[in-house]
Amino acid sequence: MVASDLDRTLIYSAASLGLTGPDAAAPRLLCVEVYEHRPLSYVTETAAELLARLARAAVFVPATTRTREQYGRVRLPGPAPEFAICANGGHLLVDGVSDPVWRAAVAERLAAGCAPLAEVRARLLATADPAWLLKERTAEDLFAYLVVDRERLPGGWVAELTEWAGERGWTVSLQGRKIYAVPRPLTKSAAMREVARRTGAQLTLAAGDSLLDADLLLAADRGWRPGHGELADGDWNAPGVTALAERGVAAGEEILRRMVTVAEDRMGAGDVRTAV
């Protein structure tokens, strides 16, 4: 099975496309998300073809920090995935519906393993400065995040929050203009393992660009990270994880190309269902 992050890994906003060179040489783009009547996220046409091939050769599982509502706006090429991981592992969707057994197991882990959301949210609001704080949100009553003006964000603020949160069992991730505070027991990797168990997958592939994807990459048999993002900025590497040089939407293409190669090779060997 293939479990992949979406934003800035497979799909890209206009600001994160990372296009270089003459406009005439730019790849053709396909819009995969519309929000408030505006196109929001894109893949290249080549990536769209690769996604469709991947869905035929493997169990493809989107693994995103997006809420269920935010994920619902995304229309990926190919058949709708049977499984999807939302809210950083807080919800496991099966044919678009949150699995109640999985949700109950997540609630149990959170109750035992970290400080409550209310405490962390109070800290965020008490220490954030209105001069650079644009929005504050909670997601699915599971974690919190801020939208900030990066140019005005004090250099040491994220580090201080990371230390404070770490002592209470939470992880902090800075992704573009967003600062996420996520409970440490809330992971994409746990949900990926559950899908692998249900499908009988013998090989798992993963991709992601942020600190919240690190556990997913470590849990997979093989993984890829793009040349941009939080992991690349920190020069994060691990055995079995390939750090790509490509950045922006070109990285999304290359990730899919490599995943398709592995999955189709596996399928050609006669193992379709477990060919992640």
Side-chain angles (χ1 to χ4, degrees), residues 38-172:
R38 294 182 296 109
L40 193 62
S41 298
Y42 303 85
V43 297
T44 67
E45 288 191 346
T46 297
E49 294 170 1
L50 290 167
L51 269 167
R53 285 172 59 183
L54 187 62
R56 292 192 295 268
V59 179
F60 174 63
V61 184
T64 179
T65 306
R66 286 177 175 238
T67 64
R68 288 171 290 171
E69 180 182 359
Q70 292 166 340
Y71 169 69
R73 301 196 302 254
V74 179
R75 295 291 183 265
L76 296 173
E82 179 182 0
F83 298 96
I85 298 165
C86 292
N88 211 65
H91 288 278
L92 176 58
L93 305 189
V94 183
D95 293 325
V97 178
S98 181
D99 186 300
V101 175
W102 177 255
R103 185 67 189 90
V106 168
E108 185 176 343
R109 288 202 306 272
L110 295 183
C114 58
L117 171 61
E119 179 181 346
V120 175
R121 186 185 181 203
R123 174 75 179 196
L124 291 172
L125 293 175
T127 58
D129 189 331
W132 48 261
L133 176 62
L134 304 178
K135 296 179 184 178
E136 180 270 338
R137 296 285 187 271
T138 58
E140 304 269 19
D141 293 324
L142 290 168
F143 60 89
Y145 65 93
L146 308 179
V147 181
V148 302
D149 182 339
R150 282 289 295 268
E151 293 183 358
R152 296 187 176 186
L153 182 66
W157 191 87
V158 173
E160 292 175 5
L161 176 64
T162 299
E163 181 178 359
W164 180 91
E167 294 171 352
R168 290 158 179 81
W170 285 62
T171 297
V172 174

